[in-house]
Amino acid sequence: LQLLFGAGLFLLFYLLAWPFAAWYDDPLYRPLLQTAAVGFLLRPLMNTQAAWMHREMRFKAFALVSFGGMFLSGLAGIGMAWHGMGVWSLVLSGLLGTFIQILLSKRVVRLPLALQLDRRAVSDLGRYGVRIQANNVAFHINRQVENFLISRTLGEHFLGLYNKAGSLFQIPAEMIGTPAYATTFRALSKLQDNPDQSRWLYRRTLGLVTLYM
């Protein structure tokens, strides 16, 4: 199912690349958007393994895989930018980072990946998954509205500076909040039938994150 959705999104953005480039009056946007859309075909291979690591509470392994992909793709992106590849260094390094994480995950997750359609799993997890994805879509749209307005009014150069400033600003929160979220989410799922312990854990987590921040 993830592959089907990924293929559908890839096709959608691949076709939207032409009117998108025309609307911005910049032909470079077409190949950029079409190349970036390849990420939708790679994500299912990473998502399944990442979900397994979270379920088994292999947070250290997940953190190492994520850091490895980010570090190596970051070096590659800097090298490509240094050699004059411009905005292509951002797009290609992003795809490279996903691919590296897939390879690293295969060394941690010793599960054979195979195509299978389990109707019971779809029924059990479908409604929950739809809610999660709806929340992700709403969050993504909210983040992209400001990028859309800035790029149309102030240009792509200012947008690049704005995004870089935003990413640097978020580093402390992401370094502290993301690991806390991952472990707390897994722990709360195990304690969901015990409201008292769930409340204690939730408040303790908020207190610790606030203290560290």
Side-chain angles (χ1 to χ4, degrees), residues 31-91:
L32 283 175
L33 189 59
Q34 290 174 339
T35 304
V38 175
F40 290 115
L41 300 176
L42 297 176
R43 285 180 187 174
L45 302 175
M46 178 60 205
N47 290 344
T48 303
Q49 301 177 88
W52 183 89
M53 283 187 277
H54 275 85
R55 188 180 66 185
E56 299 299 319
M57 301 190 76
R58 299 283 299 276
F59 298 117
K60 180 179 180 181
F62 180 78
L64 290 174
V65 168
S66 301
F67 177 78
M70 178 181 66
F71 180 75
L72 295 176
S73 64
L75 288 180
I78 293 172
M80 286 186 281
W82 183 268
H83 286 86
M85 294 182 65
V87 70
W88 279 105
S89 61
L90 296 174
V91 175

Side-chain angles (χ1 to χ4, degrees), residues 56-186:
E56 299 299 319
M57 301 190 76
R58 299 283 299 276
F59 298 117
K60 180 179 180 181
F62 180 78
L64 290 174
V65 168
S66 301
F67 177 78
M70 178 181 66
F71 180 75
L72 295 176
S73 64
L75 288 180
I78 293 172
M80 286 186 281
W82 183 268
H83 286 86
M85 294 182 65
V87 70
W88 279 105
S89 61
L90 296 174
V91 175
L92 295 178
S93 64
L95 292 176
L96 179 63
T98 303
F99 187 71
I100 291 173
Q101 288 188 45
I102 293 172
L103 295 179
L104 294 177
S105 297
K106 286 181 67 66
R107 300 185 63 86
V108 178
V109 182
R110 300 293 183 176
L111 294 176
L113 293 178
L115 294 175
Q116 181 182 1
L117 183 60
D118 189 332
R119 295 180 181 273
R120 183 176 179 181
V122 172
S123 176
D124 291 344
L125 301 175
R127 285 175 293 179
Y128 174 75
V130 166
R131 294 192 190 101
I132 293 293
Q133 289 305 318
N135 182 69
N136 290 339
V137 169
F139 178 77
H140 182 72
I141 291 175
N142 182 57
R143 289 287 301 272
Q144 294 306 315
V145 166
E146 58 189 22
N147 290 337
F148 170 77
L149 294 175
I150 291 173
S151 66
R152 288 292 293 177
T153 55
L154 300 175
E156 61 273 13
H157 178 71
F158 189 86
L159 176 63
L161 294 175
Y162 178 80
N163 280 331
K164 178 53 65 178
S167 64
L168 291 174
F169 172 76
Q170 290 292 334
I171 285 177
E174 290 179 352
M175 290 180 64
I176 296 173
T178 301
Y181 168 79
T183 51
T184 306
F185 182 88
R186 178 70 178 104

